[in-house]
Amino acid sequence: MPHRHCAPHLTLEFLICNFLVPLTDLDLNYFWKWSLFEDYLLFCFGFTVLCSGVTLLLLDSVVFVETLGSMALLFEAMLGLPQLLQNFSNRSTKGMSVKMVLLWTAGDVFKTTYFVLNDSPAQFWLCGSAQILIDVAILLQVLLYNQDTRIKLG
């Protein structure tokens, strides 16, 4: 692709040149392997502006707001899942901070208890419960994959 000269200031040409044109050269195999930190920051900025614009336009839509809120809760509930899957794949929890997972668990228990006691909508305590289950599963992996525990369990 020939090098394009982009306007150095914030114009429509600048936005197209810096945000839309690079998408035509996007290879998903290298999406998170940024060669320059500035490219990553530009992507984050563009993504934030795009999402903010869409949210601003659809702020009066109850369906959009409820969907956005539920997706946010779901994404937060799944934060421990990559750690759980990585531990399972490695059959090890080596290098993982057990204290960190215990703090996650404590926070998730307190948060979910708060949601239940205050009669929050079901999606709050359901996602909180999912977080607690993932935290407990990770802690069980610590017991299962620990060499000393395996010897004791036979």
Side-chain angles (χ1 to χ4, degrees):
M1 176 186 299
H3 184 268
R4 291 177 48 123
H5 174 70
C6 296
H9 48 284
L10 192 58
T11 62
L12 182 59
E13 179 188 354
F14 174 84
L15 293 173
I16 290 171
C17 189
N18 285 295
F19 297 110
L20 297 179
V21 171
L23 290 178
T24 60
D25 196 28
L26 182 63
D27 183 350
L28 292 178
N29 293 323
Y30 298 98
F31 183 73
W32 289 114
K33 297 174 184 167
W34 301 94
S35 55
L36 295 173
F37 184 64
E38 292 82 9
D39 291 343
Y40 169 73
L41 290 178
L42 272 174
F43 171 80
C44 288
F45 174 74
F47 185 73
T48 302
V49 168
L50 176 68
C51 290
S52 299
V54 170
T55 302
L56 189 62
L57 289 173
L58 298 174
L59 203 53
D60 293 329
S61 169
V62 175
V63 173
F64 174 77
V65 171
E66 289 294 323
T67 302
L68 184 63
S70 295
M71 285 176 52
L73 283 170
L74 182 63
F75 282 126
E76 184 192 359
M78 295 297 116
L79 285 177
L81 192 59
Q83 183 68 59
L84 180 74
L85 296 174
Q86 186 69 43
N87 293 347
F88 180 76
S89 175
N90 293 341
R91 299 279 192 255
S92 171
T93 57
K94 185 176 180 178
M96 187 194 74
S97 170
V98 176
K99 291 177 187 175
M100 176 191 67
V101 179
L102 288 171
L103 289 172
W104 281 353
T105 307
D108 293 338
V109 167
F110 288 127
K111 175 177 59 180
T112 304
T113 302
Y114 174 83
F115 291 149
V116 170
L117 293 177
N118 287 292
D119 294 324
S120 297
Q123 63 263 36
F124 285 93
W125 58 265
L126 284 171
C127 286
S129 298
Q131 285 176 297
I132 293 169
L133 289 174
I134 291 171
D135 296 342
V136 169
I138 292 171
L139 291 171
L140 289 173
Q141 285 179 325
V142 170
L143 290 174
L144 179 66
Y145 297 141
N146 184 326
Q147 189 66 29
D148 295 334
T149 305
R150 279 189 275 169
I151 292 168
K152 289 178 187 174
L153 293 176

